[in-house]
Amino acid sequence: MDATHAVRLDGVSKRFADSYAVHDLNLDIEAGRFFSLLGPSGCGKTTSLRMIGGFTDPTEGSVLLAGEDVTALPPDKRNVNTVFQSYALFDHLSIADNVAFGLKRKGVQKAEIRRRVGEMLELVQLDGFAARRPRTLSGGQRQRVALARALVNRPAVLLLDEPLAALDLKLRRQMQVELKQIQREVGITFVFVTHDQDEALTMSDRICVMNEGRVEQCGTPEDVYEHPASRFVASFMGTSNLMTGTYRDGTVTLDQGPALPVGPRTAIADGTAVSVSVRPEKVWLSDFEPGMSMQRGVIRETVYSGPTTTYLIELAPGVTLSVLEQNTARARMEDRWSGGETVEFGWRPEHCLVLA
Ligand SMILES: Nc1ncnc2c1ncn2[C@@H]1O[C@H](COP(=O)(O)OP(=O)(O)OP(=O)(O)O)[C@@H](O)[C@H]1O
Ligand SMILES: [Mg+2]
């Protein structure tokens, strides 16, 4: 048994009535990692997290923590803590007492409690807030109290179920960076649940993409974004420009449209119906390189969004690609395309991915 795995799920399934919320989940989470479970609503993220925490019993399979089978153990016998989406702070207690709660219950000595609570409040940058009440704090501050309250117990693993979901976008982005920094500082394994792909990409060392109770792909953020293993992953992670066609000899002929040379991929039989995908930021609109796959299309829409401009380009009837350009200092606004113009564009063949 490999004890460096903080969490291992071995063939874990959960059935509610007649349907599986989680189906044959196999996961190895290395100690010290920031690990995310990512997927759309209802795909089984919370159920998976609850099975790691001991709040839900698996129908099949086993849960291991640091190499020990804990499937039959209740939550309080597992060396994990959970931060839920609703922070569930005690409003009649001060911030310091909220953080101290678990330690008091465990009978830790007063001086030790004071020291550790002080340390934690410093870690989450709430040193000056010890005496305040939760309702006098902002959403982001309350979120950090909830985090401190869980971390103060020094669990081996911290489970976080969409802890940032209630925050507005700006605060959310800020907390993403802070949470990642805190995780690095304390070195505790984080298992983080989110349905937000940007959040998962920003924060994680490893991402497990789930769909309908099953794992679609596990890997680094770069793996799942640059090399999606399925059509689902490609479309769930950002914008993908999915097209369908038929594979033959390193080329995919679109159902409606041109033949596109595609990146290397083994074991596709000629004549197979496939999806292909090109990321919007992998398409070039100027300064082409030799060897590019060149196309021609009509600009249907120009969408300016500050740092970037998105063009919707019709490649063939019914096939419209989203193309992203950075509005850098060197890009000239007057060079931007407008609707109706015919343009040339291209991409490196390896950026045209085949998805079986
Ligand atoms: N206690 C329960 N009884 C019956 N079905 C349940 C129960 N808990 C969850 N489910 C079902 O299991 C599936 C997975 O639910 P889960 O809460 O794990 O999804 P999720 O990925 O966390 O979704 P969300 O992003 O919306 O929180 C859903 O179809 C849900 O309806
Ligand atoms: Mg959930």
Side-chain angles (χ1 to χ4, degrees):
M1 190 59 54
D2 188 0
T4 64
H5 284 121
V7 180
R8 167 169 284 180
L9 298 185
D10 202 358
V12 166
S13 297
K14 180 66 192 181
R15 217 173 70 180
F16 290 113
D18 52 356
S19 73
Y20 279 95
V22 173
H23 200 277
D24 192 24
L25 185 58
N26 294 288
L27 277 188
D28 278 323
I29 305 177
E30 273 181 55
R33 284 268 159 84
F34 196 114
F35 188 96
S36 293
L37 288 172
L38 171 69
S41 183
C43 74
K45 305 180 296 292
T46 296
T47 305
S48 304
L49 206 68
R50 290 177 60 87
M51 290 193 284
I52 299 173
F55 303 102
T56 297
D57 290 329
T59 313
E60 291 141 46
S62 10
V63 179
L64 288 85
L65 295 174
E68 185 201 352
D69 191 329
V70 298
T71 317
L73 295 184
D76 59 327
K77 294 283 188 299
R78 303 184 184 196
N79 194 8
V80 302
N81 264 101
T82 309
V83 178
F84 294 102
Q85 180 185 331
S86 56
Y87 321 129
L89 300 177
F90 302 115
D91 216 34
H92 62 288
L93 296 181
S94 70
I95 298 309
D97 286 339
N98 263 282
V99 176
F101 190 79
L103 297 179
K104 275 188 185 155
R105 242 183 18 179
K106 274 197 233 161
V108 177
Q109 291 202 326
K110 262 193 175 158
E112 167 82 358
I113 291 182
R114 201 173 313 126
R115 193 180 60 75
R116 278 165 67 175
V117 168
E119 252 177 40
M120 274 307 131
L121 290 180
E122 200 175 319
L123 180 75
V124 299
Q125 295 173 26
L126 289 176
D127 327 42
F129 291 73
R132 300 244 310 243
R133 291 294 169 87
R135 68 170 171 281
T136 71
L137 266 51
S138 73
Q141 290 164 340
R142 264 179 279 177
Q143 210 290 318
R144 281 182 278 172
V145 177
L147 189 64
R149 192 175 58 173
L151 285 173
V152 80
N153 300 311
R154 297 182 183 153
V157 177
L158 189 65
L159 308 176
L160 303 107
D161 194 354
E162 311 235 16
L164 309 181
L167 307 180
D168 69 57
L169 190 63
K170 193 157 182 195
L171 188 53
R172 193 173 170 141
R173 294 244 187 281
Q174 184 190 329
M175 281 299 299
Q176 288 169 1
V177 176
E178 285 181 20
L179 198 56
K180 176 69 196 156
Q181 273 167 354
I182 290 172
Q183 189 270 336
R184 253 192 233 120
E185 243 174 277
V186 296
I188 289 173
T189 310
F190 277 31
V191 185
F192 184 89
V193 160
T194 180
H195 63 267
D196 179 335
Q197 67 280 37
D198 288 334
E199 185 160 286
L201 287 173
T202 309
M203 302 177 76
S204 320
D205 300 312
R206 288 282 185 285
I207 299 175
C208 172
V209 185
M210 292 181 70
N211 181 28
E212 295 182 350
R214 294 168 193 268
V215 173
E216 289 271 337
Q217 187 173 7
C218 266
T220 64
E222 291 89 337
D223 285 337
V224 293
Y225 186 80
E226 303 286 346
H227 308 287
S230 64
R231 194 182 154 95
F232 175 83
V233 176
S235 65
F236 192 71
M237 306 299 293
T239 309
S240 266
N241 290 324
L242 284 168
M243 299 164 274
T244 52
T246 308
Y247 181 87
R248 193 169 306 277
D249 248 357
T251 301
V252 171
T253 303
L254 298 185
D255 297 339
Q256 309 102 325
L260 310 176
V262 294
R265 188 181 156 129
T266 47
I268 296 178
D270 282 356
T272 306
V274 293
S275 296
V276 283
S277 139
V278 187
R279 294 283 186 193
E281 73 280 12
K282 298 289 199 272
V283 181
W284 303 41
L285 285 162
S286 58
D287 303 325
F288 305 114
E289 285 181 346
M292 285 189 135
S293 166
M294 295 302 301
Q295 309 297 334
R296 185 183 282 270
V298 180
I299 303 276
R300 289 298 174 210
E301 194 105 45
T302 302
V303 183
Y304 171 78
S305 3
T308 59
T309 297
T310 301
Y311 297 102
L312 298 183
I313 305 180
E314 190 173 306
L315 172 64
V319 184
T320 301
L321 301 184
S322 179
V323 175
L324 189 77
E325 250 199 343
Q326 299 290 333
N327 297 327
T328 60
R330 263 188 265 168
R332 296 188 314 176
M333 290 299 177
E334 60 270 28
D335 287 347
R336 277 188 308 181
W337 303 98
S338 41
E341 285 185 88
T342 297
V343 292
E344 281 223 292
F345 54 99
W347 54 73
R348 295 182 182 151
E350 69 263 31
H351 288 147
C352 189
L353 306 173
V354 183
L355 305 159

